[in-house]
């Protein structure tokens, strides 16, 4: 794909000026004959946190997998800084500044914390000690446990490790798939605070969550998916006060 050759690997400077960092246009994705995404459109601006909400099977994970190149859209476009990236494989997209923290963390269980983090830096010729320091500052628990096998970490620590591993690739856009899943409320709060800190340090975030209140509390804007389509979108504060959202996702009766 010729247009993608113009993209720089680690910086957001290349691409079309003023284009959103990420834009999905009419994106349709299939699993065999099943149409999981039926023409999704959304944008993520540089520096934003955007929440992607919706119930089970709405298409949130499929959206992230398509952005990170694990799935290819059958129709539509995925643009990074205004340049087409659909068709590029996931291992190559890491070089374009996309980091994906998948659902269920997927840490390398038999490797140590440090080895997992080093794996996250695979696109570089060597591991930068500054990147490691940054991750250990964000997650002091990982620093304490750097020699521990990842499979023996708690669920919250594994989530921290999965995020830390993605940060080792210095992503400009971080895709987070349900970081709160299965974690105690206090740990979820810590993870969300760290996501905010990562964003404050300059990383743009697309956050998939079932936990709508917490996600919208953190996000600038949100999109609500229903059976593969965008049902609602808007500033996080507006979505949070919308009676339909409150009824569908916050367990309250519609006003
Ligand atoms: P959840 O919150 O339950 O993870 P989700 O919003 O992330 O849901 P997806 O996992 O993206 O939803 O699934 C969207 C649709 O695609 C669902 O109908 C699901 O059954 C279907 N689907 C997902 N993965 C596959 C697969 N590997 N093969 C076939 N269908 C799939």
């Amino acid at each position: 794909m010729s247009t993608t050759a113009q993209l720089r690997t680690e910086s957001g400077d290349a691409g079309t000026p003023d284009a959103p960092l990420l834009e999905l246009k009419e994106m349709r994705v299939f699993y065999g004959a099943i149409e999981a995404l039926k023409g999704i459109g959304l944008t993520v601006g540089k520096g934003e946190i955007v929440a992607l909400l919706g119930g089970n099977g709405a298409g949130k994970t499929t959206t992230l997998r398509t952005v990170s190149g694990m799935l290819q859209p059958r129709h539509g476009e995925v643009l990074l800084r205004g340049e087409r990236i659909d068709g590029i494989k996931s291992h190559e997209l890491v070089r374009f500044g996309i980091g994906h923290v998948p659902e269920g963390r997927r840490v390398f269980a038999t490797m140590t914390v440090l080895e997992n983090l080093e794996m996250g830096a695979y696109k570089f010729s060597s591991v930068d000690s500054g990147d490691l320091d940054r991750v250990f500052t964000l997650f002091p628990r990982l620093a304490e446990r750097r020699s521990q096998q990842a499979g023996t970490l708690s669920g919250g620590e594994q989530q921290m490790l999965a995020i830390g591993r993605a940060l080792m690739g210095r992503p400009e856009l971080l895709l987070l798939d349900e970081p709160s899943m299965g974690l105690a409320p206090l740990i979820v709060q810590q993870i969300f605070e760290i996501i905010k800190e990562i964003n404050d340090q300059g990383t743009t975030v697309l956050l998939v969550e079932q936990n709508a209140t917490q996600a919208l509390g953190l996000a600038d804007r949100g999109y609500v998916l229903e059976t593969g389509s965008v049902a609602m979108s808007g500033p996080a504060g507006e979505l949070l006060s919308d009676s339909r959202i409150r009824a569908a996702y916050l367990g309250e009766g519609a006003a």
Side-chain angles (χ1 to χ4, degrees), residues 28-133:
R28 295 174 65 192
V29 179
F30 291 73
Y31 294 103
I34 298 169
E35 188 172 10
L37 298 181
K38 301 170 182 169
I40 298 273
L42 64 79
T43 61
V44 181
K46 190 169 164 50
E48 280 193 304
I49 299 181
V50 172
L52 196 53
L53 310 170
N56 284 321
K60 306 179 299 295
T61 294
T62 303
T63 302
L64 290 199
R65 284 189 185 146
T66 311
V67 172
S68 72
M70 294 160 71
L71 295 169
Q72 303 301 325
R74 198 177 287 181
H75 175 88
E77 299 179 357
V78 181
L79 301 132
L80 190 69
R81 304 175 204 106
E83 309 281 359
R84 292 279 295 271
I85 58 163
D86 45 279
I88 301 178
K89 299 280 182 249
S90 50
H91 64 277
E92 290 168 18
L93 277 174
V94 176
R95 297 181 196 283
F96 289 81
I98 295 182
H100 186 180
V101 181
E103 195 173 13
R105 1 264 195 223
R106 312 262 169 83
V107 297
F108 302 112
T110 58
M111 294 168 82
T112 66
V113 166
L114 184 59
E115 287 165 345
N116 267 271
L117 293 175
E118 287 170 348
M119 292 293 285
Y122 74 91
K123 74 176 184 184
F124 305 120
S125 52
S126 61
V127 176
D128 185 302
S129 63
D131 290 337
L132 264 181
D133 288 346

Side-chain angles (χ1 to χ4, degrees), residues 183-204:
L183 303 180
L186 200 62
I187 307 291
V188 173
Q189 200 182 320
Q190 281 175 15
I191 300 269
F192 273 59
E193 280 166 12
I194 290 165
I195 294 169
K196 177 87 182 88
E197 199 172 334
I198 291 167
N199 177 252
D200 286 344
Q201 291 176 2
T203 306
T204 304

